[in-house]
Amino acid sequence: MMMLKLFGLVFFCGFLPPSQEVLSGLSCAVSPGAMQNVLSDAILQNGLLQQHLQGLVLPNIMGEGGLQNSPTSITGLHLVKVRLPRLSVVLLPGIGVQLTIAAKLELSGNCLVGLLSELIDIVVDVNITANIKCTNFESGTVQVVIEDCLCILGAVKIKLLSGLLSLSVNEIVLNQLTATLPGLLCPVVHIVINVVNIQLMATLNKVIPVGTAGAIHYQLASLPFTSGLFLGLDLDGAVMQVGGSIIPHDSSSSALPPLLDKLLILGLRQSFLNAVLCLLIQIPPQTFTCTPEVFSSASHLQEAIMTSVPSGCSTCQGTSPLSIKLSLFGNPLIILEENKATVELSVMIQVFVKHLDGSILNLLLLKADLGLNAHVSIAGGRLVLRLSLLSTSLSLESSDVGISDISNLKPHCSSLLVETLLPLINGALGIGIPLPNVLGIPLLKVDIQI
């Protein structure tokens, strides 16, 4: 279960207490359970640990302890299989992550006791605990270091084909493995953690196309931080137009609430959403003729305009049909309030006549300020907004024919914009805003809170 919050947009795997104020920011908070699943998948389920332990070769074991205390040597001891691996994670507040791997290592080699040579199989329980800390933040990436790696051996089971095994051989093997295995296993764990860090950073530092309009470059904005409840990831998203120019937005840091029983909280700041809307809503001017065959609302608007033309306007004769040009004015602006998202958008409406000689008579130039309700949803890992008209405010910019009263034009202009422009805007928004696949955690069963 997840949650997305818009700033405030938070996509929760859950629920945000109303009293918790969220600051601006594009941030993620990941629960210990989710982090454990992520690391378990990356290290154990994908076979990464087995792969890097496969080449593990242990030193020869020499000692006295075979039959009648004859010399004993075990050579060619190598890893055959990692059995029953288990991984657990504890978040260390202000430090990082404590990772514990428990497993049974199945080893095999050649055992020479006196003059008797045979295969030897050893199964040893190991418990490796390492404290992982992020450091050296630069350009959206971090390095990880392992502090205090501790490897503890548990039960050791030894099997010889002949079954002739003395307690002293068992003791020799245990002593030698205790002395050598930690020094071999901790460096392997270090290598595995660095590989996983590169894989996980790739989910955070990524350029994702936004249709054909441009792309969003998501990356870490600062070092990850930990509390006892969650791992915090401060992200930023550079909104890039085709050609590489960046649409600026406020990139201040953010604070997210505790996760409670959720896997992931992802928050998006209002300024970031505005930058993406500017990228998506790039509708070229639309021009059409006011005929019923084109749009019924355009025909009705023409009738209303002609009744507003002052009597005696000689230049207005023979001006049917009229032409209308719709042009977006300024940038769209999303407004986020509690449980409500609206988009403010301005449109210039030019009503004109083009004479045979090529001259243009501007009957009206109107500015329509639209209030649009934004329905927010998640589909395919993308944030999708669909707009519907809430309100229209109409103002007269100019008129070449002396029209001054536009009070009767508002309903017709609203209908025209709903019929012509709004489908184009929703079509542009339909591709959605791609969201980062944080640590590979899919955005499923998402609750959205504004």
Side-chain angles (χ1 to χ4, degrees):
M1 197 58 183
M2 305 183 178
M3 181 170 185
L4 173 64
K5 184 155 183 106
L6 303 179
F7 295 144
L9 198 339
V10 180
F11 309 127
F12 261 89
C13 316
F15 144 87
L16 178 66
S19 61
Q20 178 73 53
E21 181 180 356
V22 181
L23 304 178
S24 65
L26 173 59
S27 299
C28 305
V30 183
S31 73
M35 196 65 210
Q36 180 167 309
N37 292 339
V38 166
L39 292 177
S40 181
D41 287 345
I43 296 174
L44 304 182
Q45 304 306 320
N46 293 339
L48 187 64
L49 181 64
Q50 173 84 31
Q51 173 189 336
H52 281 81
L53 285 176
Q54 203 61 52
L56 192 67
V57 176
L58 282 82
N60 295 336
I61 297 176
M62 313 295 292
E64 301 285 338
L67 296 175
Q68 300 177 349
N69 288 326
S70 57
T72 301
S73 65
I74 300 173
T75 59
L77 199 58
H78 61 279
L79 179 76
V80 176
K81 187 178 181 181
V82 180
R83 291 166 44 184
L84 304 176
R86 302 182 307 279
L87 183 147
S88 60
V89 167
V90 175
L91 299 182
L92 305 175
I95 298 175
V97 175
Q98 185 179 81
L99 175 70
T100 300
I101 299 174
K104 294 179 181 292
L105 301 185
E106 185 178 323
L107 308 172
S108 184
N110 298 309
C111 181
L112 178 65
V113 181
L115 299 177
L116 181 64
S117 178
E118 57 183 315
L119 293 177
I120 184 171
D121 293 322
I122 304 172
V123 177
V124 55
D125 291 348
V126 296
N127 193 289
I128 308 168
T129 300
N131 294 341
I132 304 171
K133 184 177 181 180
C134 294
T135 184
N136 295 339
F137 172 79
E138 184 178 357
S139 300
T141 61
V142 298
Q143 291 181 333
V144 294
V145 295
I146 292 183
E147 299 177 341
D148 305 322
C149 181
L150 179 64
C151 179
I152 299 176
L153 271 58
V156 177
K157 296 180 180 179
I158 304 174
K159 181 181 178 181
L160 285 172
L161 188 62
S162 66
L164 300 176
L165 184 69
S166 66
L167 291 176
S168 56
V169 170
N170 195 81
E171 184 178 351
I172 290 171
V173 170
L174 178 60
N175 290 339
Q176 289 288 337
L177 292 182
T178 301
T180 58
L181 265 183
L184 297 173
L185 294 179
C186 280
V188 171
V189 170
H190 198 171
I191 293 172
V192 167
I193 292 300
N194 275 289
V195 171
V196 170
N197 179 57
I198 293 171
Q199 294 173 350
L200 297 184
M201 283 299 105
T203 70
L204 304 175
N205 194 338
K206 194 169 186 178
V207 177
I208 308 178
V210 185
T212 58
I216 299 175
H217 183 188
Y218 289 109
Q219 64 178 15
L220 278 176
S222 61
L223 276 173
F225 59 94
T226 55
S227 72
L229 296 174
F230 62 84
L231 170 70
L233 301 168
D234 236 349
L235 302 180
D236 195 10
V239 182
M240 302 181 293
Q241 296 176 309
V242 174
S245 60
I246 294 176
I247 301 174
H249 68 275
D250 176 20
S251 297
S252 57
S253 60
S254 63
L256 289 174
L259 278 170
L260 303 177
D261 58 342
K262 316 309 172 188
L263 294 178
L264 171 69
I265 299 176
L266 173 63
L268 302 179
R269 66 174 65 84
Q270 180 172 287
S271 58
F272 168 77
L273 294 172
N274 278 326
V276 181
L277 286 185
C278 290
L279 180 68
L280 289 176
I281 304 178
Q282 298 186 33
I283 310 297
Q286 305 292 307
T287 303
F288 47 87
T289 304
C290 293
T291 61
E293 294 77 13
V294 179
F295 295 107
S296 59
S297 56
S299 180
H300 295 152
L301 177 60
Q302 173 179 267
E303 295 175 6
I305 290 174
M306 296 311 296
T307 60
S308 301
V309 175
S311 59
C313 176
S314 58
T315 58
C316 303
Q317 303 302 317
T319 58
S320 182
L322 306 181
S323 293
I324 295 180
K325 182 178 180 180
L326 303 178
S327 306
L328 296 183
F329 181 75
N331 294 324
L333 179 65
I334 191 167
I335 305 296
L336 301 172
E337 303 170 272
E338 187 172 355
N339 301 319
K340 181 182 179 182
T342 55
V343 172
E344 295 180 354
L345 189 66
S346 295
V347 181
M348 301 303 293
I349 305 174
Q350 181 186 8
V351 184
F352 64 95
V353 176
K354 188 172 183 179
H355 295 301
L356 292 177
D357 61 3
S359 61
I360 292 178
L361 176 65
N362 285 307
L363 272 67
L364 277 176
L365 181 60
L366 303 171
K367 182 184 177 187
D369 295 316
L370 309 182
L372 303 163
N373 180 60
H375 173 73
V376 184
S377 61
I378 295 288
R382 292 170 176 261
L383 176 69
V384 180
L385 280 72
R386 183 165 184 83
L387 307 181
S388 58
L389 185 63
L390 283 175
S391 63
T392 304
S393 175
L394 206 60
S395 60
L396 175 63
E397 296 292 305
S398 64
S399 171
D400 291 350
V401 297
I403 296 176
S404 58
D405 184 7
I406 60 171
S407 57
N408 63 330
L409 303 183
K410 181 177 177 179
H412 304 298
C413 287
S414 296
S415 298
L416 175 69
L417 294 171
V418 168
E419 196 174 354
T420 61
L421 192 60
L422 202 52
L424 295 175
I425 294 174
N426 280 325
L429 293 175
I431 62 173
I433 302 171
L435 299 173
N437 186 21
V438 178
L439 305 183
I441 301 173
L443 287 172
L444 302 175
K445 298 182 180 179
V446 179
D447 292 335
I448 298 177
Q449 185 176 94
I450 304 173

